[in-house]
Amino acid sequence: MERQILIGVLAWSLALCGNPSPSPTPLQTAEAIGVPSPLSALPWPLVSPSAEPASPPSPTASAELSATATYRLYLPGVFRQFVPSSPDEWTQHAHDAQRTSYTSQVVPPPWRWKWAWNGPDAQGRVSPGKFRLPRNSQPVTGGGRVYIAAGDRGVFALDNATGQVLWNRNPGGARVNSTPAYDPETGSLFVLSTNGVLYKLDAATGEIRGQFPTGASSDLPLPPALFGDRVFIAMGNRVYALNKFALSPFWSYDAGAPVHTPPAYSPSWDRVVVVSQDLYVHAIQNADGRRAWRVKPTPRQPGDPGSSSNNAEVKNGWPVIAEGHGLVLIKLRLDWEAMWKPWSPWPGDNATMRSGLAAQPQYQALLALRLSDGSRAFIANVGHGGFGDGGYLPMGPQPVVKRFLDGQEVAYVVMRGSPCLQSPCDGRYDSRLGEMMLDDTTVPGYRAGDVRFMQNTFFPTDEQANLSMAGDFIFGAHWMFGLAHQIVDRSPSRGTSSNPIVTRNLPHIITSASNCGFSPTHYCPGSLVQDSDSRTIPSGFYIYYNQGRVYDQYWSEYAAWVISNNTIYFVSTDGAVVALEHGDPLSVSSGSSPSLPDARVETSWPEKERPTERAPNLNRPIPASLATMHVGEVREVEGVIRFVFNNGKAVYLGFQNPHQGALKIRILRPYWDRFPLPPEQMIRPGTAIRVRGQIDWYQGDPQILVEQPDQIRIVDSLWLTDLAFLLRTGVTRP
């Protein structure tokens, strides 16, 4: 292999010798004498971008390359740095250091079930010992293995052929919430722990080869980015560029506030981009770690947006680089009420979207900035969305950037626009897939930031699907199912609300179904219907058979599709990893037996599943904080309500604010008329109550569904009052 690389580089160098070189610039001279330059992390031979950056570079942007100049090469510095990863491998979070979530590899249909891990047993039931995965966890591949971040269980390495566990390590003993990154040149896996240490593991064995402590810590998913000889990480207030061989730092950058996104890297500009908690976007020069620019592109203030506020967050998202246009795309998490603002539903034409967002910039949820100076490139006609409930809407899907063979580049997004794909047509029902323009010329009649409507399986605005792409295949990871489509006609005449881009269905995947009967192939040739849910999706695969809403118990707020090594991986919201491959869907793959975590190498339990001694089962109320210990039981629970919200489908009574992570009481809409007043008006924050009912799971937290007023009693220092008592004393609904 070394001889092949040497011959190739020498041949390339000899070819350059036959061409006259222009007078060397400082950059070229630095390369010629072997001095580190701003491009020391770029792979050689270097191919100039097929498109120029979207705006002229600033005078200090020394990372731009001439498309015509010939660069001299210093051979001794080349060989050990730049062995490119296979383009077919999804080796790091969102596929590459630009975080495009796009791969050119396509697994042609039909697909068949290959294997599953941390999911169903041989009969399609929930496997014993199953656990949830951290939010944003994606499988990455390399060396014939699949690597998965598993929280306080550390990292698992699976055999890509069978899904069997090869090793499990938790270096440092803390949680691993960040997708690891695989480096084929060193055969290493880079793992960032919540303890703030970057570990370099032997990818074949899991043994520690090196580590770099940052001195900070964070529970956020902050996956490393790998490019050339460097690994980029963010932790605490700092961003680091480390030598991937020795884990020695090239530089560190102080953002002045906690960094809330993982880094993304632009090769053309040789800049690293992150976003900090204070909503500032930072571009860092990879040459020396100095700031290239820093901007706050939104009028909103930093903080949890909640149900209604002027706050925004960036955590659980990541910058996406559109390399061909010199852009970085930044997604914001806005408040729940932004689903209905500035429109409900959103309009069906781009001109109205643009003018409305220009007038009310606080509702701009996707921002497009120039890598040259951080200035706003255009208004992205993309509305706010995510997937949550009860006044809580977490970070929504990140865009996908695709570069076509002819050099054109577009972004695929979850957009909003009318007419809706399903009734009623309002802010909750106006979401769909869309193609967003990055310039004014790719499709005649469309400007940069305009969106083109697409056909797709429906999902609501508060259930938006996370996106990834493989060739012309676009995948959406909804919390209950995975949708998959092939784009078959995106000609210029397409893309309007009445004439959308044409797609065809690829096999979908659903959490649990029983409408087809069980088969070891997990394939259903007809439509799929989720157990305990009335929605129907196109044909494909089910993960579990007749197991109900598995996602509610193991909720991670996130599902994902990854395509690598001729395999399609689907990570469900409940933490199951399903592998599909090309083949007859009615046949059984050789690796189709279910794969479970090896109990011998498990390290510890996620907090919500930690075995705890149960409290005595007495006929007295239990504290709301202990509800998790009594899931499946009918109990009376006592506590003080801190959160009350009506989301139009249910009234939420939460024992903490925000209500995520604790017991919640839900009163569904069909039962509101049984109460003397609207339920949200009868129970105010600060009210101590007792509520009786069966404790179940809902989106990862315990819940009690209330159907009758007498299930709730108001606790006072002198008495208990049934809500039903108000009915008997003559209080009626207005």
Side-chain angles (χ1 to χ4, degrees), residues 47 74 92 160 184 220 234 312 340 366 410 449 506 523 638 649 659:
V47 178
Y74 181 64
Q92 54 190 306
N160 189 50
L220 291 177
W340 289 274
L366 182 64
V410 299
L506 297 169
Y523 182 69
E638 184 177 67
K649 298 183 293 186
H659 62 76

Side-chain angles (χ1 to χ4, degrees), residues 75 214 218 228 258 269 308 344 359 374 383 390 439 566 591 605 626 664 705 715:
L75 293 177
T214 65
S218 176
W269 288 91
S308 178
S344 179
D439 55 43
N566 298 311
W605 292 81
L626 298 181
K664 56 180 65 69
L705 289 174
V715 179

Side-chain angles (χ1 to χ4, degrees), residues 338-358 360 363 379-384 414-421 425-434 446 449-454 461 495-498:
M339 276 200 296
W340 289 274
K341 299 174 182 176
W343 305 281
S344 179
W346 268 51
D349 66 283
N350 280 285
T352 304
M353 295 182 197
R354 186 184 307 106
S355 61
L357 290 173
Q360 302 183 75
Y363 295 114
I379 292 176
N381 289 344
V382 175
H384 175 51
V414 175
M415 57 169 281
R416 297 175 60 185
S418 55
C420 301
L421 294 177
C425 194
D426 63 14
R428 180 176 270 130
Y429 290 87
D430 60 4
S431 283
R432 61 200 302 158
L433 299 182
Y446 287 87
D450 285 356
V451 288
R452 302 175 70 202
F453 288 68
M454 296 175 61
T461 305
T496 64
S497 59
S498 60

Side-chain angles (χ1 to χ4, degrees), residues 446-468:
Y446 287 87
R447 295 171 52 182
D450 285 356
V451 288
R452 302 175 70 202
F453 288 68
M454 296 175 61
Q455 297 174 338
N456 64 270
T457 300
F458 170 75
F459 48 80
T461 305
D462 57 352
E463 300 180 17
Q464 288 186 346
N466 292 302
L467 300 184
S468 56

